[in-house]
Amino acid sequence: MCGIVGYVGAKEAAPILIQSLKRLEYRGYDSAGMALVNGSGRIDVVKRTGKIAALESALSEIHPKGTCGIAHTRWATHGAPTEPNAHPHTSSGGDIALVHNGIIENAEALRSRLAGHGYTFASDTDTETVVHLIDRVWADGMSLEEAVAAALARVEGTYGIAVVSVRDPQKIVVARRGSPLLIGVGQGGEMLAGSDAAAVVALTRDVVYLNDEDYAVLTPDGYKTFHLDHGEVRRSVEHVTWDVGAIEKGGYPHFMLKEIFEQPSSLRDVTRGRLLEESGDARLGGIAAHQFNLGRVRRIIVTACGTSWHAGLVGEYMLEDLARIPVDVEYASEFRYRNPVVEDGTLTLAVSQSGETADTLAALREARQRGAATMGIVNSVGSTIARDTDFGIYLHAGPEIGVASTKAFTSQLVALALFTLHMGRRRHLSVVQGKEVVEALRRLPDQVEEVLALNDQVRALAEEYMDCGNFLYLGRGYQFPVALEGALKLKEVSYIHAEGYPAAEMKHGPIALIDDDMPVVFLAPRDPVYPKVVSNIEEVKARGGRIIAVVSDGGSELESKVNHIIKVPQTIPCLLPVLTSVPLQLLAYHMAVLRGHDVDQPRNLAKAVTVE
């Protein structure tokens, strides 16, 4: 959620850190700051609330110097978004500076003990306790990394941290537990740190992902990695396959629109090399070596949050329909606070774009502790979920910068379809049925391009409805999760209140809300429950509701019953959610832009939610 960057080398650090922070803006934040170790034996700290531009402006007035520094974008958890609460935080003497993502769970106990030793606190944050703790444990003869390790032994909770000090200059110490952090291995005596590969990819595409309980030392001479319990360890260098162009707008006004229009490409990437047309099957390298475990699966628990949870609901329909496996879809934030039943033969499937979602990770670890096999469907290579699960599937959708997920969602749907196909062909799905799914998946990217050609039509709809204060989204079967996702997208970026319901449940309460001021979006493609949805449309029409219907090819009988029709191509029922969700993404986007909102960084939201 928050962003961390660090640089040590021969160049002035401030411009590099600012550019790196800008590449993390999509994560969501409310303040930004930087600490530079200068050549005269002090740390210069500059912090500002609001956007990175405010920090950049302050730096242009002060002109701080230094070839070693750390910087941060903060999304407030402990304490309001103010300058004192912004990171970096410093020790009382100003000779240690620290940035932090995560939650220090024993912060109050640490604060009390440190206050007893004479430490005073300038902020309301949990983070400040850590920098004072490092100062407290730092004994004569210790290196910075030894002091950091000694302090972290007393810390409870989650953290990704970067620390610098004038006591041990030209050095950055980083550490992680439950919050992502990586090292960028540069050329010519340059080392970088970041909470995301986007922070370092402009200077290097060689990265080292830290594991939980790891810490590392970065100097112009290179890096060393350690584990808090096991001493020095080796972590492999991985090569990032995308370049900085993938995290730039490429001529689009917003990342969200760019990523909506990238979906034909991202869907081709998620299926590339995975479709076996002759056998009607899917080749999935990430699970190929685990057929014994998959053969024992008698039940699947899908755990996810937000948009990924909606994808999981579609996956539930797919897996039960085509693979005949019982599936439960759980909110990750609720799963571990119950006493969940995890029986022999249970597979826990974690779905996450970032692979770092704190609640999803916690649910995954709870399920593993109860004996479940674990699988991940993630987009970010090297992420914690990718490394903590037994096996999984990468989306290969490329970086998703917009906070509101679009291309990752449809890629998740296709990845779940591929997994369903793989499982179904080993159980109850015939080769003829399998070939039908393969052919539909092969055609899907071209069909999404057809839907994107409706952009102007959807924008005109947004102009007509942009002043509405409430929306209702209704769907049945495979389209119910799409209704939930469409409503979520509208809420996220346009700040319009919207609700998604199963269409038949409208009669059990929401029908009371329907009048000519309450637009109703119906997902009504030609599928097995289409006649039932038509009946629901009649009920809304009889009460004066304004209706927008998303239909698949045909649907002409609805033209006299609804106010607007959006036509998408026809495909098999399990893949229709991919096509029907795209116009809802466009509707949310255009509504938000017309209302003057920042669609890429909606208020109060963050891209990767790494705190509970």
Side-chain angles (χ1 to χ4, degrees):
M1 145 175 327
C2 308
I4 288 176
V5 296
Y7 172 85
V8 59
K11 299 175 183 175
E12 286 295 326
I16 294 170
L17 294 173
I18 281 289
Q19 291 306 311
S20 295
L21 282 184
K22 287 180 178 179
R23 295 190 177 97
L24 296 180
E25 282 194 286
Y26 71 93
R27 295 170 70 93
Y29 68 101
D30 43 51
S31 61
M34 182 183 299
L36 295 172
V37 182
N38 66 31
S40 58
R42 72 172 189 271
I43 296 177
D44 292 326
V45 176
V46 184
K47 304 191 285 188
R48 292 293 185 271
T49 57
K51 297 297 185 182
I52 291 170
L55 174 64
E56 189 173 20
S57 177
L59 289 167
S60 69
E61 296 174 6
I62 301 168
H63 300 295
K65 300 293 183 180
T67 58
C68 176
I70 54 177
H72 189 266
T73 50
R74 176 179 185 253
W75 188 84
T77 55
H78 290 61
T82 63
E83 270 189 32
N85 289 335
H87 297 211
H89 291 287
T90 59
S91 57
S92 298
D95 57 355
I96 309 169
L98 177 146
V99 295
H100 165 232
N101 294 346
I103 299 289
I104 306 302
E105 294 175 357
N106 62 334
E108 286 304 313
L110 291 173
R111 180 182 287 259
S112 178
R113 287 200 292 271
L114 289 163
H117 289 290
Y119 286 88
T120 58
F121 290 82
S123 77
D124 302 317
T125 68
D126 55 335
T127 299
E128 194 180 359
T129 61
V130 182
V131 72
H132 290 318
L133 183 60
I134 293 170
D135 179 71
R136 173 67 184 169
V137 302
W138 199 336
D140 289 343
M142 269 190 178
S143 63
L144 175 59
E145 59 269 28
E146 288 170 333
V148 169
L152 293 180
R154 307 183 188 191
V155 167
E156 298 172 9
T158 59
Y159 54 78
I161 62 169
V163 191
V164 294
S165 175
V166 295
R167 301 187 207 175
D168 200 353
Q170 285 299 97
K171 178 184 288 185
I172 301 173
V173 174
V174 295
R176 70 154 287 175
R177 179 197 290 157
S179 189
L181 209 59
L182 57 84
I183 300 166
V185 184
Q187 301 294 320
E190 289 187 322
M191 294 298 302
L192 301 104
S195 49
D196 189 310
V200 305
V201 75
L203 290 176
T204 179
R205 288 160 70 179
D206 292 326
V207 301
V208 177
Y209 294 99
L210 298 183
N211 291 348
D212 275 352
E213 312 292 330
D214 280 356
Y215 65 101
V217 185
L218 283 60
T219 71
D221 295 325
Y223 71 96
K224 289 184 178 182
T225 51
F226 303 85
H227 189 276
L228 287 172
D229 295 329
H230 308 304
E232 188 168 355
V233 293
R234 290 187 177 274
R235 301 294 182 219
S236 60
V237 177
E238 300 188 31
H239 189 71
V240 177
T241 56
W242 47 269
D243 60 22
V244 71
I247 53 173
E248 295 177 345
K249 291 177 183 174
Y252 287 88
H254 301 97
F255 282 113
M256 183 176 177
L257 187 63
K258 174 179 180 264
E259 287 155 8
I260 289 171
F261 273 83
E262 284 177 341
Q263 287 176 111
S265 175
S266 61
L267 295 182
R268 290 186 182 99
D269 287 341
V270 74
T271 56
R272 181 171 288 114
R274 290 171 165 172
L275 297 177
L276 302 175
E277 297 188 23
E278 287 299 315
S279 57
D281 203 349
R283 179 196 294 116
L284 298 170
I287 66 175
H290 301 274
Q291 295 307 309
F292 174 76
N293 287 333
L294 289 172
R296 296 179 62 249
V297 170
R298 297 293 174 265
R299 174 180 173 234
I300 297 174
I301 298 173
V302 177
T303 181
C305 301
T307 287
S308 296
W309 187 79
H310 297 155
L313 289 177
V314 177
E316 177 183 22
Y317 282 83
M318 290 179 183
L319 285 158
E320 292 190 344
D321 184 19
L322 302 179
R324 309 302 297 152
I325 303 172
V327 180
D328 296 305
V329 183
E330 301 274 3
Y331 280 116
S333 57
E334 292 293 320
F335 180 75
R336 72 182 178 127
Y337 295 106
R338 299 177 12 239
N339 187 18
V341 178
V342 178
E343 303 161 314
D344 185 50
T346 297
L347 171 68
T348 300
L349 172 54
V351 184
S352 169
Q353 188 284 136
S354 69
E356 303 291 352
T357 311
D359 287 317
T360 306
L361 269 167
L364 191 68
R365 287 164 179 166
E366 177 70 18
R368 179 193 291 120
Q369 187 173 341
R370 291 170 179 261
T374 58
M375 175 179 167
I377 292 180
V378 301
N379 190 35
S380 298
V381 175
S383 61
T384 305
I385 289 177
R387 287 179 288 128
D388 276 12
T389 45
D390 298 324
F391 47 87
I393 301 171
Y394 279 125
L395 301 182
H396 301 301
E400 186 177 66
I401 305 301
V403 166
S405 181
T406 52
K407 68 175 181 176
F409 172 69
T410 53
S411 292
Q412 286 170 345
L413 297 184
V414 170
L416 285 162
L418 290 167
F419 179 60
T420 298
L421 178 60
H422 182 88
M423 296 295 283
R425 288 291 289 117
R426 281 144 190 82
R427 293 175 183 241
H428 306 283
L429 201 66
S430 71
V431 66
V432 173
Q433 293 170 307
K435 285 183 175 182
E436 181 185 14
V437 176
V438 168
E439 175 59 19
L441 284 166
R442 189 186 62 77
R443 296 179 57 228
L444 196 60
D446 292 339
Q447 292 179 314
V448 171
E449 287 184 345
E450 294 180 46
V451 180
L452 291 171
L454 304 175
N455 184 47
D456 290 343
Q457 178 190 346
V458 176
R459 189 182 190 282
L461 272 180
E463 290 173 346
E464 180 171 343
Y465 289 98
M466 62 178 285
D467 294 324
C468 294
N470 300 280
F471 267 73
L472 190 62
Y473 287 70
L474 300 174
R476 299 183 77 140
Y478 279 107
Q479 298 304 313
F480 163 51
V482 179
L484 293 175
E485 175 62 12
L488 177 63
K489 282 291 157 286
L490 194 68
K491 283 184 277 197
E492 284 180 316
V493 298
S494 75
Y495 316 147
I496 294 171
H497 174 253
E499 296 296 335
Y501 273 88
E505 286 297 304
M506 171 191 61
K507 299 187 291 294
H508 300 282
I511 199 168
L513 299 172
I514 292 172
D515 57 24
D516 59 5
D517 292 326
M518 176 81 154
V520 181
V521 179
F522 269 98
L523 286 309
R526 190 77 64 174
D527 64 10
V529 293
Y530 174 75
K532 299 294 184 183
V533 177
V534 173
S535 297
N536 299 138
I537 288 173
E538 294 278 15
E539 293 164 352
V540 171
K541 181 185 176 186
R543 287 155 179 84
R546 288 191 289 171
I547 301 170
I548 301 168
V550 180
V551 305
S552 54
D553 290 340
S556 57
E557 64 270 32
L558 290 179
E559 290 179 1
S560 63
K561 304 177 189 297
V562 305
N563 300 82
H564 307 278
I565 282 182
I566 301 171
K567 290 186 178 181
V568 304
Q570 184 64 38
T571 187
I572 60 177
C574 69
L575 295 182
L576 276 168
V578 175
L579 300 176
T580 56
S581 64
V582 174
L584 305 189
Q585 295 170 352
L586 289 169
L587 180 63
Y589 169 80
H590 288 301
M591 294 278 277
V593 171
L594 290 167
R595 289 164 67 95
H597 300 314
D598 185 345
V599 294
D600 288 335
Q601 297 174 48
R603 68 188 182 201
N604 304 329
L605 296 181
K607 184 64 178 173
V609 184
T610 56
V611 296
E612 292 187 64

